Amino acid sequence: MKLREIISISGKPGLYRIVNFDKMPYTVEDISNGRRMPIFGRDKVSSLAEIAMYTEEGDLPLGQVFQNIHEAYGDTIPEEKEIIKDHETLRTFMNKVLPTYDEERVHDSDIRKLVKWYILLRQQGMVLFVEDESDSNK
């Protein structure tokens, strides 16, 4: 599973993998439970590979942020409820994994979503979040 194959659908919780991209409606699969459903042209879909986090130096791809979390926590998957319990804990977490994040533009809800997505991807066995340049052409 690669980050560019995983999508977020606005208004729907969780993350999805595109199963059928040949004809409308497209078919996606919820990566947490395997349930399939159709999505239509009106659904706002974003590939995780195209999402970035605001930093003081510019935007940092989400894959690199996930990689930073993985490096900070190693093979242990952090406890979601411990990280997202309050504002201070969220900001401490972000300072640990991405010290240069833009504190004004990155909201608590963004950090909560980041944590939930990271934990979901780790539970699915994903450990490599940044693709090698040669892999992106495949």
Side-chain angles (χ1 to χ4, degrees), residues 47-58:
S47 167
L48 294 193
E50 297 170 355
I51 299 174
M53 214 64 184
Y54 296 119
T55 68
E56 294 168 355
E57 292 87 31

Side-chain angles (χ1 to χ4, degrees), residues 1 3 20 22 24 27 30 43 51-52 57 59 66 69 91-92 109 126 128 134:
M1 181 166 48
L3 205 58
N20 172 3
D22 295 334
M24 284 294 240
T27 304
D30 187 321
D43 292 314
I51 299 174
E57 292 87 31
D59 295 343
F66 286 149
I69 297 171
R91 297 300 167 157
T92 301
S109 60
M126 195 167 192
L128 183 62
S134 61

Side-chain angles (χ1 to χ4, degrees), residues 3-20:
L3 205 58
R4 63 190 153 132
E5 299 169 349
I6 307 300
I7 62 169
S8 168
I9 303 171
S10 183
K12 298 190 186 304
L15 295 174
Y16 301 85
R17 184 178 64 82
I18 297 176
V19 176
N20 172 3

Side-chain angles (χ1 to χ4, degrees), residues 22-33:
D22 295 334
K23 59 181 180 171
M24 284 294 240
Y26 302 134
T27 304
V28 296
E29 179 178 80
D30 187 321
I31 66 170
S32 63
N33 61 23

